[in-house]
Amino acid sequence: MRWFEIALVSLTAFTGLVWLLDKHWLARRRAARAGLLDEGDEPWVVDYSKAFFPVLLVVLLLRSFVAEPFRIPSNSMMPTLLTGDFVLTNKFVYGLRLPISNTKVLPMGEPARGDVVVFHSVQRADVNLIKRVVGLPGDRVEYRDGRLTINGDAVAYTPIGTYTGHGSGAEATGAQELSETLGRHVHRVLLRRDLPQPLLAEGEWTVPAGQYFVMGDNRDNSEDSRYWGFLPERNLVGRAFLVWLNFDDGFDFERIGTSIP
């Protein structure tokens, strides 16, 4: 959605500039020539700029520094998040960043283990992705046989049962559903042990300074740090905290207002 951010910043800057020019120069010129026919009327570009600038400015400030909406594009975060979920992302929890460049101007915190984060893809900067933080800088992360080990300590799991998916998530029906505890987060994950071995990415990684190891909750259907590497801190957008809408085959009103563990 980088194009939307660029368009929003450009429109806000343009309408704001027109508004300033009119306030300090153009309006006085019109007033001085008010005796001529129609010379006192505002040009349409000034009229529209004065009307839209406050709205655009508020949207830009809220989206850049408070909260940004994001639509879940795939099943990689099932069962926590479903395709068709629209989530809100806290933009200031990890520090205030400038729009477009994503440069941090005011540090305010760092991701915690287990946070669900939205970030710019390390492969395509114009694409936003969402995953769960598994490894922090300096952590030694191991993933084998569907289980995580962090710094030598096995992550706690509790079996829930066999998962039944609906809509776009029906493909996950039959997966093993478990409860996983990462830091202060208790959430559900899915495992599919019937997939071909090459798809079951396993290994051990040590997270470099200034980077993170992220994974999807749908562990055997997620292209994440196991495949493309570590997530740089500079790519972070924010922490997802709320499902505010779901639309897949129709509206799912039960998911509206769901907090993200």
Side-chain angles (χ1 to χ4, degrees):
M1 294 292 287
R2 186 64 64 88
W3 62 268
F4 179 81
E5 196 169 28
I6 293 173
L8 180 59
V9 171
S10 300
L11 285 172
T12 304
F14 174 77
T15 55
L17 180 60
V18 171
W19 174 76
L20 281 173
L21 286 174
D22 183 71
K23 180 178 179 64
H24 296 288
W25 185 49
L26 298 177
R28 279 185 264 181
R29 287 191 59 190
R30 288 197 306 273
R33 302 167 62 182
L36 301 177
L37 183 62
D38 293 332
E39 287 293 337
D41 294 339
E42 290 184 345
W44 66 269
V45 68
V46 172
D47 188 32
Y48 278 94
S49 294
K50 290 171 67 174
F52 284 106
F53 172 65
V55 178
L56 291 170
L57 182 61
V58 169
V59 172
L60 177 62
L61 293 176
L62 288 176
R63 189 179 184 276
S64 299
F65 304 118
V66 180
E68 179 179 356
F70 176 76
R71 184 180 186 275
I72 304 302
S74 71
N75 291 331
S76 70
M77 282 298 293
M78 290 180 62
T80 304
L81 296 171
L82 309 179
T83 299
D85 278 350
F86 290 80
V87 303
L88 281 180
T89 303
N90 185 323
K91 295 296 293 287
F92 60 84
V93 66
Y94 303 141
L96 298 182
R97 298 173 185 266
L98 296 176
I100 302 178
S101 69
N102 207 44
T103 301
K104 183 185 290 188
V105 293
L106 181 61
M108 298 184 69
E110 302 295 337
R113 190 178 291 112
D115 283 0
V116 176
V117 296
V118 176
F119 56 93
H120 298 310
S121 168
V122 299
Q123 298 168 307
R124 291 183 55 190
D126 60 330
V127 174
N128 285 348
L129 301 176
I130 185 168
K131 304 292 179 186
R132 190 178 296 276
V133 174
V134 170
L136 304 177
D139 281 350
R140 189 176 74 258
V141 178
E142 184 176 357
Y143 183 74
R144 300 190 189 279
D145 298 323
R147 299 297 192 271
L148 273 170
T149 301
I150 301 176
N151 298 325
D153 296 325
V155 172
Y157 290 92
T158 302
I160 295 176
T162 301
Y163 184 75
T164 301
H166 303 281
S168 299
E171 65 179 22
T173 297
Q176 182 184 9
E177 185 175 7
L178 304 99
S179 173
E180 177 183 79
T181 302
L182 281 177
R184 61 183 177 83
H185 298 274
V186 179
H187 53 275
R188 296 174 296 156
V189 298
L190 298 181
L191 298 178
R192 290 294 297 263
R193 299 290 92 188
D194 57 343
L195 296 176
Q197 191 62 33
L199 297 180
L200 304 178
E202 298 183 337
E204 185 174 338
W205 304 264
T206 299
V207 186
Q211 303 193 56
Y212 298 89
F213 193 91
V214 296
M215 296 176 66
D217 289 348
N218 192 354
R219 293 290 158 79
D220 300 317
N221 187 18
S222 172
E223 187 174 343
D224 48 42
S225 287
R226 294 170 292 172
Y227 297 91
W228 45 255
F230 303 106
L231 168 65
E233 190 277 339
R234 64 178 178 273
N235 285 46
L236 288 170
V237 172
R239 177 172 60 84
F241 67 95
L242 181 73
V243 177
W244 62 275
L245 181 68
N246 174 279
F247 185 85
D248 188 1
D249 293 331
F251 287 104
D252 185 347
F253 294 99
E254 291 185 1
R255 291 194 60 77
I256 297 176
T258 302
S259 60
I260 299 174

